Amino acid sequence: ESRVLLPSAKKAEEDALQNFANLCIDVSKAREEVAKSLSTSITEKLPSLGMSGFRFETQMQSNVVAYNEAPSYGVDTVDFLLLDGNRGDRGGTLESVASAGEKARILLAMECVLPGSMGAVCMANEDRINPLAVVYDEIDAHVGGRAAVSVARMLRSQSGQIISITHNPSVAAIAERHIRIQ
C-alpha cells in the first residue's frame, strides 16, 4: 500500500512547497512596498527632528534558500540605513552610523508613522505584547529650538507610558510627571 501512497504524498509535498515559495514571493513584494513607503515617510519627518539633509532607507534582501529551511520570519532580511545628504550620501546601517539621539528620534518617527510598531518587536512566547513603557534616552541630544519642540510634540502624541531622559525644557514641558535624579 505504501508504494501506492508514496508518489501521491511526494506530489502533495512538492505542491505545498511550491505554494509556500509563491507565498514567500508575495510577502516579499508586499514588504518591498511597505519598505519604500516607510523610507519616504520617515525621511519626511527627519528635518523636523533636527536631521535636515539626512535620508532614511529600508534596504531589503531576499535570501532564496530551500523553502523548507526558511526561518519563521520569512526569507527577507531588512537593514535600516541612515544617509547624510550633507556629506554626499555617506552613511551606513543605522546601528553603525547613528548616534544614540539619532536612533531614538528615528525610532520615534517610526512609531509615529507605524503606530504600534514598538509592540511588534515585543514578543513573549511567540505572542505579541504591548510594551509597558518606552524609554527614550538622549532623544533630544544635539537638538534645540524648533526641533526640540517637534520632538516634544511627537512624544506627546504617543500612546502608553513614555519615559524620556532629557535636559531640554521643551521636551520636559510636555510631561505629565517629572522625576529629578541628582
Side-chain angles (χ1 to χ4, degrees):
E1 184 177 351
S2 63
R3 289 183 188 172
V4 174
L5 297 176
L6 185 60
S8 64
K10 284 185 176 183
K11 174 70 172 128
E13 180 185 35
E14 288 173 14
D15 291 347
L17 285 174
Q18 184 58 52
N19 186 44
F20 179 69
N22 292 338
L23 291 172
C24 284
I25 291 168
D26 291 345
V27 169
S28 290
K29 287 178 182 176
R31 285 179 173 162
E32 278 286 339
E33 289 179 28
V34 171
K36 287 177 188 173
S37 175
L38 181 65
S39 296
T40 300
S41 297
I42 290 178
T43 296
E44 288 172 354
K45 291 198 174 295
L46 294 182
S48 67
L49 296 171
M51 298 175 69
S52 292
F54 283 87
R55 197 170 76 244
F56 176 88
E57 285 191 9
T58 307
Q59 185 178 64
M60 287 190 43
Q61 182 176 2
S62 290
N63 301 311
V64 180
V65 296
Y67 288 105
N68 57 346
E69 297 173 13
S72 62
Y73 56 81
V75 296
D76 300 317
T77 56
V78 178
D79 279 317
F80 296 132
L81 307 178
L82 184 62
L83 305 173
D84 186 350
N86 301 316
R87 297 183 180 181
D89 278 346
R90 285 191 332 188
T93 61
L94 192 59
E95 64 192 35
S96 66
V97 300
S99 70
E102 289 166 340
K103 289 175 187 174
R105 291 191 298 275
I106 289 169
L107 186 61
L108 176 60
M110 190 175 292
E111 185 64 21
C112 288
V113 170
L114 293 172
S117 57
M118 295 269 197
V121 296
C122 297
M123 301 292 285
N125 301 323
E126 299 295 321
D127 294 324
R128 179 181 160 187
I129 60 171
N130 290 323
L132 298 175
V134 177
V135 179
Y136 290 103
D137 187 14
E138 297 185 34
I139 195 165
D140 56 358
H142 309 294
V143 298
R146 290 182 187 150
V149 171
S150 183
V151 167
R153 286 182 179 145
M154 285 187 189
L155 284 169
R156 186 72 172 160
S157 73
Q158 300 301 295
S159 61
Q161 183 177 16
I162 304 295
I163 299 171
S164 178
I165 301 164
T166 183
H167 303 281
N168 189 296
S170 296
V171 174
I174 60 102
E176 292 177 8
R177 294 201 174 111
H178 295 92
I179 300 172
R180 182 176 172 175
I181 300 172
Q182 295 185 3

